[in-house]
Amino acid sequence: ASTRDGLAAPLARLLMLSRRCPFPDVREKSEAILGGVQELGIRIPRPLGHGPSRFIPEKETIQVGNEDAAMHALFADSFATLGRLDNVTLVMVFHPQYLESFLKTQHYLLQMDGPLPLHYRHYIGIMAAARHQCSYLVNLHVNDFLHVGGDPKWLNGLENAPQKLQNLGELNKMLAHRPWLITKEHIEQLLKTEENSWSLAELIHAVVLLTHYHSLASFTFGCGISPEIDCEGGHTFRPPSVSNYCICDITNGYHGVDEIHASPTGSIPSTESVCEVEALMEKMKQLQECRDEEEASQEEMATRFEKEKRESMFVCSSEDEESAATRDVSRHFEDTSYGYKDFSRHGMHVPTFRVQDYSWEDHGYSLVNRLYPDVGQLLDEKFHIAYNLTYNTMAMHKDVDTSMLRRAIWNYIHCMFGIRYDDYDYGEINQLLDRSFKVYIKTVVCTPEKTTKRMYDSFWRQFEHSEKVHVNLLLVEARMQAELLYALRAITRYMT
């Protein structure tokens, strides 16, 4: 048994290579080694889940080996950069243009020249993912941290890391849960702590990493990403039972193939869900006609924003149980009781963040690019791709202009963070986003660890899985930009 346990991870890694490597010769060699190991009487683990996502049937994901030339090149680049094709990549590849930009940005942040040493970068990734109890991302970066020479003692808990990284804990928790509370004083504390102080360039790098991994945790939970085959919880030595799953699968949150594949998405259209799509398209048409006929006054627009901001506080997860952080994850951050709270609760009044006073395009972009060259450009490209990405389809309908819907989703997320666009009519949000969709959005963005398959299934029931993944890309980028705006504004105020 002890021999088997010691071989579990490397054998699972070989299993991953034999199934997922985009290079056929590597796949064949891995299969040959696994065959030889099996002949020696050593049992081979099997994947515990069914594909890269618990929410999307494996047969509906893009399979390595069946992809076109452009997709193969993307897989090959990803594999060469990361040494693996991870489950996030295998779900994001529904949208190759976005995935290419995402991988380029992540590669630059983690591996190219920059203010922070490599092991610091991965440790900050661990700190950020841990705030949302995202063991998937924590496990990946623990391995990467050790691979680049990080001190294993740091992994015993944040208190074992250098004081400089410990000092980042306060900014990490506020960015993850209540970014509107960040002030220039928080920035000053980090930059003026004598021997443990951060430089401005280092802090910008750290802030971008923190926001990247907070929002990637949202994607991980929002798409139900399964553990990697070679990580804890990703494989088992137990054989599948006759019904193709066993009790160990159920306790790990996995259910039988039939149950997973019985998702409303992609199933036979029900009258109700088809009507849902038609009704949404009709609302978009009516709103466009109203826009063309008359425009609301600035006072009315401001009133509608405040109304939507208040209403967003009363949208909460229907599955509002507390998610207890495990010791494995919670040791990487302090103040485990600190979490998301609506910004105007308990008599607190947080001033509205007006985009015309501080925007990504006019202020944040140039600050990032000045202190961490090229990153502003990479982020800007990624934001634009996510915001403008469209195939002009909605469920079974083609040649549809979805810009109104995409803008409503983006602005609703920013509204939840207290960020207002003066030129947007917030009355459109209630017309276009129904309650179950708002619950999903708020859960994925604010408390992603509470996302369930039921929430994923309950919104836009007749839409394709690729369209739901597209929604998650919008949530990821809108959330990341909102966090960045609060942090960069505080840095700008400190500098001036």
Side-chain angles (χ1 to χ4, degrees), residues 56-70:
I56 304 169
E58 187 173 14
K59 65 182 180 185
E60 295 188 33
T61 58
I62 294 161
Q63 303 298 310
V64 178
N66 301 332
E67 69 281 356
D68 60 26

Side-chain angles (χ1 to χ4, degrees), residues 6 15 42 53 71 166 181 251 272 285 289 305-306 477:
L15 186 65
I42 297 170
S53 163
M71 200 84 77
Q166 291 184 45
L181 297 181
T251 54
E272 187 184 348
K285 183 182 167 192
E289 287 168 358
F305 169 78
E306 291 301 329
E477 296 303 334

